[in-house]
Amino acid sequence: IAGITQAPTSQILAAGRRMTLRCTQDMRHNAMYWYRQDLGLGLRLIHYSNTAGTTGKGEVPDGYSVSRANTDDFPLTLASAVPSQTSVYFCASSEAGTSGRPYNEQFFGPGTRLTVL
Amino acid sequence: EDQVTQSPEALRLQEGESSSLNCSYTVSGLRGLFWYRQDPGKGPEFLFTLYSAGEEKEKERLKATLTKKESFLHITAPKPEDSATYLCAAKGYSTLTFGKGTMLLVSP
């Protein structure tokens, strides 16, 4: 079934540890995104990539890094986790826009629930 | 700064009781208005895209409409399985901005 997979499903992490959240899509979408979702704050964009080899910062990028070596994979790394990074993390992807449809809907993965102690 | 506000925050309906969810937006140069459904513990599931004022989209018991300042998600004769959080998001010149969602509970 086409879509987005994320791993792990959940993780408990000690503060100060390094962690990489994995995201893979098989829809051949050019653009990929990482969000965090917190109660009362909604979905906030961390980083994005419009195409393989390029990345950009979103609303809350501090403490996170990403890479986009190929079309399908977009890992998110926490270099040194802190308790405020406790959240649910969602990866998403979308097709590139066209002149007729400059922006397309994003499709989301199932999420990773991360707890930093 | 782009803003998206959803109301109400929570809504409880009886099965068959139709209602509407509101999404008010302030974005520069709207490029698309999106509705998603999110079940507990799951990722948002795409429902509709609206691109211009006056546009309408329908899917089963759901109908989304768009004006220059807001979008409505109309739910006709809802069933318990329609219970979920509904998110809207607006894309302006910059990034996609999400609202905080409306939690809908439909009781049998």
Side-chain angles (χ1 to χ4, degrees):
Chain A
I1 298 176
I4 298 178
T5 57
Q6 293 185 237
T9 302
S10 64
Q11 182 75 44
I12 299 174
L13 191 65
R17 297 296 295 270
R18 181 184 179 89
M19 175 74 189
T20 295
L21 308 185
R22 300 185 298 278
C23 173
T24 300
Q25 56 108 354
D26 63 2
M27 297 177 283
R28 307 302 295 174
H29 286 169
N30 285 327
M32 296 187 74
Y33 314 84
W34 274 105
Y35 291 89
R36 60 178 290 173
Q37 188 175 40
D38 303 287
L39 198 62
L41 296 177
L43 281 160
R44 293 181 292 168
L45 183 66
I46 305 171
H47 284 289
Y48 65 93
S49 169
N50 287 328
T51 189
T54 70
T55 62
K57 294 182 179 180
E59 180 184 356
V60 288
D62 294 343
Y64 306 95
S65 64
V66 292
S67 61
R68 188 86 184 279
N70 57 61
T71 297
D72 298 342
D73 301 300
F74 191 42
L76 175 73
T77 298
L78 289 68
S80 179
V82 295
S84 61
Q85 292 177 312
T86 294
S87 187
V88 181
Y89 291 86
F90 290 102
C91 179
S93 70
S94 67
E95 291 181 356
T98 63
S99 58
R101 290 185 64 175
Y103 192 81
N104 291 301
E105 55 275 3
Q106 296 180 14
F107 294 90
F108 285 80
T112 293
R113 183 174 295 275
L114 181 66
T115 302
V116 183
L117 301 176
Chain B
E1 180 182 340
D2 294 346
Q3 287 190 337
V4 175
T5 303
Q6 292 189 245
S7 62
E9 291 184 7
L11 179 63
R12 184 165 189 161
L13 299 173
Q14 291 294 315
E15 185 171 2
E17 179 186 2
S18 301
S19 187
S20 296
L21 312 183
N22 177 265
C23 172
S24 297
Y25 64 91
T26 305
V27 301
S28 300
L30 183 71
R31 293 184 166 188
L33 189 293
F34 307 89
W35 282 98
Y36 290 85
R37 170 192 170 126
Q38 187 174 23
D39 293 299
K42 303 283 184 66
E45 174 189 348
F46 170 71
L47 291 173
F48 303 110
T49 304
L50 301 167
Y51 285 106
S52 57
E55 190 174 359
E56 299 181 351
K57 293 277 181 70
E58 280 189 74
K59 179 181 179 181
E60 296 181 355
R61 295 176 293 281
L62 300 177
K63 179 180 177 180
T65 62
L66 182 64
T67 72
K68 290 185 177 181
K69 294 184 177 181
E70 56 193 349
S71 178
F72 292 94
L73 185 65
H74 306 278
I75 303 176
T76 302
K79 298 182 178 182
E81 53 261 42
D82 294 322
S83 298
T85 295
Y86 291 85
L87 304 173
C88 80
K91 176 70 171 73
Y93 288 126
S94 58
T95 56
L96 185 67
T97 302
F98 279 86
K100 294 180 181 180
T102 293
M103 185 182 300
L104 174 67
L105 178 62
V106 182
S107 303

